[in-house]
Amino acid sequence: MAGRTDEQHRIALFIDFENLVTNTGISSNNFDLQPALDQLLEQGKVVFRRAYCDWSRFADAKVRLHDVGVELVDVPPSTRAGKNSADMRLVIDALELCYAREQIDTFVIGSGDSDFCPLAYKLRENGRTVIGLAVKEASSRMFVNACDQFIYMRPKSRGDKDKEHGGKGHKGDKSDEGRGGKRGGKGGKGDEGKGHKGEASGKEGHEGKGGKSKAEVPAIAREVVQSLLRRATGPLNPSLIKETIVRKEPDFDERDHGFSTFARLLEALEQEGLLRRIQQGRQGYVVGPDTDLPVASEGKGGKGRHAKAPAPVEEEDEELESYPDPEDEGL
């Protein structure tokens, strides 16, 4: 499983629905799973989707969950107090799937309850990746640390979520200019550029319209970058840096620190002098700030798995080797 790429991940999603809509700021009538699904689909295929609860209490959420392909498992109350065994059913089904379907390598647990810590430990013990999914204010820190990664659901109105999706759904220069213009505060192109630069440096840009806190590089990012570059024998793939940060802090999200993308965070680290970004072909890499070797030598000399980009020097050597030997011509 360690050799799989992101596109090959097979993901199973288990949701303790009552936990996600009880005292979390999210109600069953505005519950929107799509933003979380979008993040999971970036990591692989979500081949199993199941939600557990007493659906007679949350009937208004059933249609939206059906629309995104979630199977609803009804767990009626088993006590006079109205408690049900949804969490127990979820644990049993997750372990059964773990042992019966080896191709499913990632399990997502939609809950913030620390009662699911033993399940997370057992899944990881069996070589599975565990992702938690819940509202931040209703998530146990113990459960967050028990997961490999944690995705926070943000309680927002349906209209706000639809508007946010509309803004994020278009990639390219136009959308970037629009975001830059909002941050810069003016409509001109020059101000748009300043908006992006400010966001990256953490000194000028702000996140969104509400004037939230300025972008600041988190300490965990500095720590990981310095540690990896100190041991690196060649250029590093930026994805390795992100994966290492998430392993140390499962709920890490660069957007919480004011950066729209991880590339913006790397740009801020470069401006602080902690790293240098280079380009080899279509792939970007990260090297130490004091690296004196040319880019080609970095790609050639690095023995790590992230330092295998073709170097221009190697291509030049191949061309020289194709020339005929002058002594052969004399013969």
Side-chain angles (χ1 to χ4, degrees):
M1 294 180 188
R4 292 191 176 201
T5 62
D6 288 347
E7 291 76 17
Q8 294 174 322
H9 287 313
R10 299 293 183 269
I11 303 172
L13 172 62
F14 292 86
I15 300 174
D16 181 0
F17 188 80
E18 184 174 355
N19 180 273
L20 295 183
V21 297
T22 302
N23 300 323
T24 61
I26 298 178
S27 62
S28 57
N29 59 7
N30 68 3
F31 183 84
D32 188 3
L33 186 63
Q34 192 60 54
L37 271 179
D38 290 341
Q39 293 188 55
L40 294 176
L41 290 170
E42 292 175 0
Q43 303 188 38
K45 293 183 178 180
V46 184
V47 298
F48 186 98
R49 310 176 187 189
R50 187 174 288 181
Y52 302 77
C53 80
D54 178 8
W55 292 108
S56 63
R57 298 177 53 198
F58 305 104
D60 46 359
K62 294 169 68 174
V63 174
R64 281 192 297 277
L65 288 171
H66 274 304
D67 288 343
V68 293
V70 177
E71 177 187 355
L72 307 182
V73 178
D74 189 36
V75 187
S78 55
T79 66
R80 292 182 179 180
K83 294 190 65 175
N84 59 51
S85 56
D87 51 356
M88 187 176 298
R89 286 283 303 275
L90 189 156
V91 170
I92 292 173
D93 288 354
L95 289 176
E96 184 180 63
L97 192 69
C98 172
Y99 295 125
R101 299 287 186 270
E102 187 176 350
Q103 69 272 21
I104 297 180
D105 63 337
T106 303
F107 284 72
V108 182
I109 304 174
S111 175
D113 195 340
S114 60
D115 288 346
F116 288 105
C117 285
L119 173 61
Y121 297 147
K122 181 59 66 174
L123 291 171
R124 295 177 68 181
E125 181 183 321
N126 282 273
R128 304 306 199 269
T129 298
V130 178
I131 300 176
L133 173 67
V135 176
K136 185 172 185 177
E137 292 74 16
S139 299
S140 164
R141 194 68 211 174
M142 183 183 299
F143 182 56
V144 171
N145 292 332
C147 299
D148 295 293
Q149 179 185 347
F150 210 94
I151 298 174
Y152 287 128
M153 302 182 69
R154 291 171 171 80
K156 295 181 180 179
S157 67
R158 180 76 183 186
D160 290 340
K161 290 179 180 178
D162 291 341
K163 185 176 180 180
E164 180 180 349
H165 273 299
K168 291 183 178 180
H170 301 284
K171 298 181 180 179
D173 295 336
K174 292 184 179 180
S175 61
D176 289 339
E177 290 174 1
R179 288 195 294 269
K182 290 180 181 179
R183 292 189 182 97
K186 297 181 181 180
K189 292 183 179 179
D191 293 320
E192 289 165 359
K194 291 180 181 178
H196 280 294
K197 183 177 180 181
E199 180 192 11
S201 64
K203 296 180 180 179
E204 299 176 11
H206 290 74
E207 182 183 9
K209 296 180 180 179
K212 295 182 180 179
S213 59
K214 295 180 180 179
E216 295 183 1
V217 176
I220 185 69
R222 294 191 182 95
E223 174 189 330
V224 168
V225 165
Q226 291 173 336
S227 176
L228 290 177
L229 288 176
R230 189 163 50 245
R231 303 193 310 268
T233 58
L236 295 177
N237 192 315
S239 63
L240 174 64
I241 299 175
K242 176 68 176 286
E243 291 170 3
T244 305
I245 293 175
V246 172
R247 278 198 295 270
K248 291 191 171 188
E249 193 172 295
D251 58 345
F252 173 81
D253 189 336
E254 60 273 3
R255 293 173 298 177
D256 293 337
H257 303 279
F259 299 97
S260 59
T261 64
F262 191 67
R264 298 291 183 190
L265 175 56
L266 291 178
E267 185 179 343
L269 287 167
E270 184 176 28
Q271 292 182 4
E272 290 187 2
L274 295 178
L275 56 84
R276 184 161 63 90
R277 295 181 298 165
I278 62 174
Q279 191 75 22
Q280 293 184 341
R282 296 183 178 180
Q283 177 64 50
Y285 292 91
V286 170
V287 297
D290 300 326
T291 303
D292 296 328
L293 295 175
V295 173
S297 298
E298 290 168 353
K300 185 177 180 180
K303 296 182 180 180
R305 60 177 181 175
H306 299 288
K308 296 184 179 180
V313 171
E314 295 176 348
E315 296 176 359
E316 183 179 349
D317 291 342
E318 291 178 359
E319 293 179 1
L320 291 175
E321 291 175 359
S322 65
Y323 293 151
D325 191 332
E327 295 181 2
D328 294 339
E329 289 183 351
L331 295 175

